Amino acid sequence: MGQRHQLFVIARINGRYRQLCAIHHQWLYGHTALKRCLDTLKIFENATNWMPLQQELTIAAKQDDDFWNPAGPRDSYGNDKNSHIPFPFIMTCLILGASFNVDGYFHGVLVEPFYMAYNEGDNNNGITIFDITDLDNVRYCFVDFYGMESKREVDLMTPLSARTYLEAYYDLNEADDEVGMLPLLDTFKGRDLVATSALMDTWPNGEWQDDPIEEATDSPANRSSGDGSAATAGENPDRTQLKEPAASLQKDKTKSLRDQSMDSLLDLLLDPSQDPSALMAEVEILTDFVPKLHRRLYDQAATLSPSAPHLILLEKALQQDVNVDLSPFKLLSVDHLSKLVAKLCNGTMRSLNLSDMPDLTEEDLVLILGGHFTSTKQAEGVIASSGKLGETMGNIASIILLDTPKISVDFVAAHLGHYDVWHSQLFRRPLNTPHRYVKELPALQFSGPNTVSQLVWVGISSMQSCDSKLRLPNGKINWSDLKYSVEASSRFSGNPGLKYKNYLLDIPLPVAKTAHGLQRLMQYLTSPNLGWFEDWPKAAARCFATTSAVEEGVSYSVGPLSSTFNLDDDRNPGDFVQVGKGMHLKPGQWAIVLIHEAYDAKNQAALDKRELEAVNMFGPRGQEEMKQWPAEDGARAFKPLKRLRYAFAKALPESESSDQQRFLITDVPGYVKHVLAETNKDGSAEIERLCAWWAKANQGFGKGIGYYEDDDSAEILQRIYSDKGFDMESKTTSRLIDPFEDIMKMMSLSRTEG
């Protein structure tokens, strides 16, 4: 059953196209397939993702032929040796693009075997393929390999454009275009398709059909260059046209006199026997000196000696870089890296890449990020006293640690929670753990002062929102009477009891990323396009994964998925529903609390219409019951509202807390100001920027969406973090629900309130 579809990522690696990952989507076809394709393209094209993407492509280039053999060695359990997901960042990019959009779209996907063939999936609606060989020009195509469940047939075993795929399902000449298919097609104009030759190279056993247009177009853009770059597809309405004559593409191999002089100058500066300091003052005035020096140093990175002159030149070349990549410089020692980072960290550097360093240890990382420390012992002393590493690392917001096996995720969680961290195991954790093994997944909690370590969601159903017995005389919710039951947490339960979930946030969440993730989650949960509500935890994992500590606005940056969110399953409600002592906040730690009233109503209008729906459902019986109710029966001064409100809560130390006040409760601006003040960071500009962004980002939210300002917030937190939590009801003690009785009660309340 379903509209089954697979998505693949390929790239040219060492002159040969290879498949890097694949996923299965159970319901993907037509215009939805185009939307998911477009979001995935935007993720691969996003500049903030290029460094980790390129890093995994570099790792792929180091693998031997046996690595790519699907029939290669097996582990002791009989699994493919690559079943651990060899390229987890690329896989995460594909998953996020294919499964989620903050405007309310979510559909789960499954990770397929690493080197599954194009036709080995359960399929009836074609496949989508992405070629990420050139990140400046990511290509896509759709393929029908044996016949799709569509209105019209298309050519088999050949790259299909967005228009061709869409026309297989719809008549685009019809005036009725409610889903905006024509504007959607416009977004694909100028995008190149994956070449047939690339598909042939990736899956040589397939009976691929040559594209007639591609064969007829004999231009340099349509032939494989043979130098490891990807071939460009032929002309097509959705493909990029050549912007200049083919003759102009022939590069003049004769260098200008200026270029020859610059090459000679760089040769002289990079001569280990020369001291470049005498020439630096003169050459720095040349506008192209730093860019050409930068390019030359990276060209020679693998063999660049760590001499003092070379380190001076490297510092000069990198001092204006926002994203500093030190991974290619294999001959630099930990001491060299430490001194270089210490000099760069107070400049323009926001991101530091130390990936592909298999011998880099946790002690080495302490020295590199400590910069000013002269010994590991001193660094460890600072860690022991502060709880975190690199508190004085200037403007660095992100650290990339892909393929660094000697640095554990536990170390990252303990010391790097205030950075945006890319670590291979952080990306693998939520992807290669089957749901049946969720409870065996080791807990990972980011520690240290001012860490947002939990997200608590309290969901109140429409029936509870309308129940006068759960209201105080002033109309506010009577939290003492709200009960939690396990069966009420299940998506298949008819019990409209309190839903309550507490999640450990097992990913790094710097201040800006925390605020951005919360805003995206609230946008998703209140979207009019929201589908199956019970999947919100998996969507929450994607909200926090597609935010950035650097970017603002619509974000296509990619970080790790939270395992506790992504692996939650409402069909097994006990897996991640955690209450009581085990989830208490430690002093100094923060939690995000979401209070979601009438979460099961589509919107306020739907909540208001329940009276009419009830009358239609029960007919004469309902109308007769209404006549017998006096106007004042059970009336309370309140109106049920569909609302989603948040609060940041920090557990106070014993010296600052009391029985009445155990938590500091605030909004996003207050949280930002408090954290930056606690870390003694001069963050006035960051506070102003984040607060201005938060106010603007929430302008589109309707009434009832925002900060929880009611004075009973402390009472809610007391219930959440008491030893009993919200008193759990067993299946034998929970109140039996009479749908008619409760709906009629709602009708009575609505009628009484006018």
Side-chain angles (χ1 to χ4, degrees):
M1 296 178 63
Q3 305 297 320
R4 303 175 299 282
H5 196 109
Q6 287 80 48
L7 302 94
F8 300 83
V9 179
I10 65 174
R12 184 181 285 270
I13 307 294
N14 295 333
R16 163 79 189 278
Y17 265 92
R18 305 289 191 179
Q19 179 180 312
L20 303 176
C21 60
I23 60 174
H24 172 89
H25 197 301
Q26 187 67 13
W27 201 271
L28 190 64
Y29 72 102
H31 65 84
T32 305
L34 265 65
K35 291 178 180 178
R36 305 282 54 80
C37 176
L38 183 63
D39 276 357
T40 307
L41 286 168
K42 290 179 178 179
I43 286 174
F44 284 131
E45 293 168 346
N46 188 282
T48 60
N49 298 327
W50 285 357
M51 190 175 287
L53 282 170
Q54 191 59 60
Q55 193 63 58
E56 291 202 333
L57 292 175
T58 300
I59 294 170
K62 294 183 176 183
Q63 309 306 319
D64 57 20
D65 288 341
D66 183 58
F67 175 89
W68 303 104
N69 184 1
R74 304 275 170 163
D75 62 22
S76 58
Y77 297 97
N79 299 316
D80 187 330
K81 66 174 182 176
N82 296 322
S83 61
H84 68 290
I85 306 175
F87 309 111
F89 183 79
I90 296 174
M91 173 66 82
T92 302
C93 290
L94 180 61
I95 288 173
L96 289 171
S99 66
F100 171 76
N101 186 281
V102 73
D103 288 335
Y105 177 83
F106 172 82
H107 196 290
V109 295
L110 298 175
V111 174
E112 293 285 16
F114 164 62
Y115 210 76
M116 182 186 77
Y118 69 91
N119 60 351
E120 288 183 343
D122 182 10
N123 188 283
N124 59 353
N125 283 276
I127 60 177
T128 306
I129 302 167
F130 302 94
D131 178 358
I132 63 170
T133 302
D134 180 2
L135 295 176
D136 286 318
N137 183 25
V138 178
R139 305 169 189 273
Y140 83 98
C141 74
F142 300 95
V143 172
D144 180 5
F145 57 84
Y146 84 147
M148 304 185 298
E149 293 182 355
S150 55
K151 291 183 178 180
R152 300 175 183 84
E153 293 184 355
V154 296
D155 291 336
L156 301 181
M157 298 297 290
T158 193
L160 304 176
S161 69
R163 175 175 288 275
T164 302
Y165 183 82
L166 198 63
E167 286 178 334
Y169 292 91
Y170 313 101
D171 183 358
L172 299 184
N173 294 320
E174 293 179 356
D176 184 15
D177 184 21
E178 295 182 357
V179 298
M181 285 186 280
L182 294 178
L184 177 62
L185 281 177
D186 288 342
T187 63
F188 283 86
K189 288 183 178 179
R191 293 187 178 277
D192 290 343
L193 292 190
V194 178
T196 306
S197 57
L199 301 178
M200 291 177 175
D201 201 16
T202 307
W203 298 288
N205 295 328
E207 297 180 358
W208 299 100
Q209 304 300 312
D210 293 331
D211 185 341
I213 300 178
E214 182 181 9
E215 289 297 303
T217 307
D218 186 20
S219 72
N222 297 320
R223 295 192 297 266
S224 174
S225 63
D227 61 358
S229 61
T232 304
E235 293 184 8
N236 182 286
D238 292 333
R239 303 183 194 178
T240 303
Q241 304 298 314
L242 292 176
K243 297 181 180 179
E244 52 186 341
S248 68
L249 298 178
Q250 302 298 323
K251 295 182 179 179
D252 184 0
K253 296 183 179 180
T254 304
K255 289 186 176 182
S256 67
L257 180 60
R258 181 182 179 87
D259 287 341
Q260 293 182 51
S261 300
M262 181 62 71
D263 286 345
S264 298
L265 177 60
L266 293 176
D267 290 339
L268 179 63
L269 289 172
L270 289 170
D271 185 342
S273 64
Q274 300 294 323
D275 182 2
S277 56
L279 292 173
M280 289 296 287
E282 297 181 41
V283 300
E284 284 179 347
I285 64 174
L286 301 175
T287 56
D288 58 344
F289 169 67
V290 172
K292 290 185 180 296
L293 173 64
H294 193 285
R295 189 177 304 113
R296 176 69 75 86
L297 288 172
Y298 275 91
D299 287 343
Q300 300 178 200
T303 58
L304 188 72
S305 64
S307 63
H310 286 173
L311 292 174
I312 293 173
L313 293 172
L314 190 57
E315 179 189 349
K316 181 65 180 177
L318 298 177
Q319 64 183 2
Q320 297 301 317
D321 282 14
V322 174
N323 302 310
V324 173
D325 183 6
L326 298 180
S327 64
F329 299 95
K330 303 302 183 184
L331 298 182
L332 297 187
S333 68
V334 171
D335 184 56
H336 296 137
L337 293 171
S338 173
K339 292 177 179 178
L340 184 60
V341 170
K343 292 178 179 178
L344 295 173
C345 69
N346 290 314
T348 60
M349 177 171 62
R350 298 297 308 277
S351 175
L352 174 63
N353 184 16
L354 297 172
S355 299
D356 192 23
M357 295 185 179
D359 296 324
L360 185 70
T361 66
E362 295 168 356
E363 291 76 13
D364 295 337
L365 190 61
V366 167
L367 289 174
I368 294 171
L369 297 184
H372 58 284
F373 299 133
T374 58
S375 72
T376 302
K377 185 174 182 180
Q378 286 179 300
E380 289 174 345
V382 172
I383 291 175
S385 62
S386 69
K388 287 201 175 183
L389 181 62
E391 293 282 10
T392 60
M393 289 307 296
N395 296 319
I396 295 180
S398 307
I399 301 175
I400 304 175
L401 296 170
L402 300 174
D403 201 26
T404 52
K406 293 187 178 180
I407 298 175
S408 68
V409 290
D410 292 322
F411 180 86
V412 171
H415 303 301
L416 299 178
H418 54 310
Y419 291 116
D420 208 358
V421 182
W422 284 266
H423 187 283
S424 296
Q425 286 305 109
L426 276 178
F427 284 96
R428 287 193 181 105
R429 268 174 61 89
L431 303 182
N432 61 359
T433 302
H435 286 279
R436 62 184 178 276
Y437 299 131
V438 162
K439 293 182 179 179
E440 300 175 13
L441 187 69
L444 183 68
Q445 185 168 7
F446 283 75
S447 61
N450 295 300
T451 300
V452 179
S453 61
Q454 298 178 28
L455 185 144
V456 181
W457 177 81
V458 179
I460 303 168
S461 69
S462 298
M463 282 191 175
Q464 288 179 316
S465 297
C466 297
D467 191 343
S468 63
K469 293 181 180 179
L470 296 176
R471 297 281 178 166
L472 298 171
N474 60 8
K476 293 183 179 180
I477 293 173
N478 184 353
W479 293 98
S480 298
D481 287 347
L482 279 174
K483 305 294 183 182
Y484 163 81
S485 61
V486 173
E487 60 267 27
S489 304
S490 173
R491 69 171 68 178
F492 302 110
S493 173
N495 187 337
L498 175 74
K499 289 192 176 184
Y500 161 58
K501 290 199 172 186
N502 192 337
Y503 297 88
L504 287 176
L505 293 175
D506 55 349
I507 56 173
L509 286 175
V511 174
K513 191 168 183 176
T514 301
H516 294 163
L518 174 61
Q519 187 272 335
R520 287 172 67 80
L521 178 57
M522 296 182 71
Q523 180 182 346
Y524 173 85
L525 288 173
T526 56
S527 170
N529 304 316
L530 185 65
W532 193 272
F533 173 79
E534 284 78 0
D535 284 326
W536 79 264
K538 295 179 177 62
R542 286 148 176 80
C543 289
F544 285 101
T546 52
T547 60
S548 171
V550 178
E551 275 191 306
E552 293 184 7
V554 178
S555 175
Y556 290 96
S557 295
V558 169
L561 291 158
S562 166
S563 298
T564 53
F565 276 129
N566 195 55
L567 296 175
D568 189 16
D569 191 344
D570 270 354
R571 287 170 293 184
N572 299 295
D575 280 352
F576 278 101
V577 177
Q578 301 188 46
V579 295
K581 299 179 180 178
M583 296 298 288
H584 283 183
L585 278 179
K586 297 178 182 178
Q589 290 183 337
W590 290 82
I592 299 172
V593 180
L594 294 176
I595 307 298
H596 205 167
E597 297 176 55
Y599 63 86
D600 52 343
K602 184 74 174 178
N603 48 42
Q604 183 63 44
L607 187 61
D608 293 340
K609 288 180 180 179
R610 284 189 178 271
E611 177 178 2
L612 178 60
E613 292 172 357
V615 172
N616 291 336
M617 180 184 301
F618 293 104
R621 178 190 168 195
Q623 297 172 19
E624 187 63 29
E625 288 281 351
M626 286 180 63
K627 293 177 182 178
Q628 297 177 11
W629 285 348
E632 66 278 5
D633 182 34
R636 294 276 187 167
F638 76 94
K639 176 178 176 57
L641 296 173
K642 180 175 176 62
R643 295 190 287 188
L644 175 64
R645 294 179 289 171
Y646 80 93
F648 279 85
K650 178 184 178 181
L652 297 173
E654 289 187 11
S655 58
E656 301 177 24
S657 65
S658 65
D659 291 340
Q660 291 74 34
Q661 189 64 39
R662 294 170 49 202
F663 303 94
L664 170 67
I665 303 170
T666 187
D667 58 3
V668 165
Y671 160 73
V672 174
K673 294 174 184 177
H674 189 86
V675 170
L676 294 180
E678 285 284 306
T679 55
N680 298 316
K681 183 177 180 180
D682 182 15
S684 54
E686 184 175 2
I687 291 172
E688 183 177 348
R689 177 177 57 82
L690 269 175
C691 292
W693 164 82
W694 179 259
K696 183 178 180 180
N698 287 276
Q699 285 178 352
F701 286 165
K703 185 178 180 181
I705 305 171
Y707 175 53
Y708 192 97
E709 298 182 277
D710 294 357
D711 56 11
D712 58 0
S713 56
E715 180 185 354
I716 299 172
L717 288 165
Q718 295 282 15
R719 292 294 307 276
I720 290 172
Y721 290 110
S722 69
D723 288 342
K724 292 184 178 180
F726 289 98
D727 295 333
M728 294 182 65
E729 295 181 339
S730 68
K731 194 168 185 179
T732 57
T733 61
S734 58
R735 181 171 68 97
L736 295 177
I737 299 300
D738 180 346
F740 175 78
E741 175 187 341
D742 278 12
I743 292 175
M744 295 306 297
K745 183 186 300 180
M746 291 159 49
M747 292 163 54
S748 174
L749 290 172
S750 178
R751 176 172 55 83
T752 302
E753 293 158 13

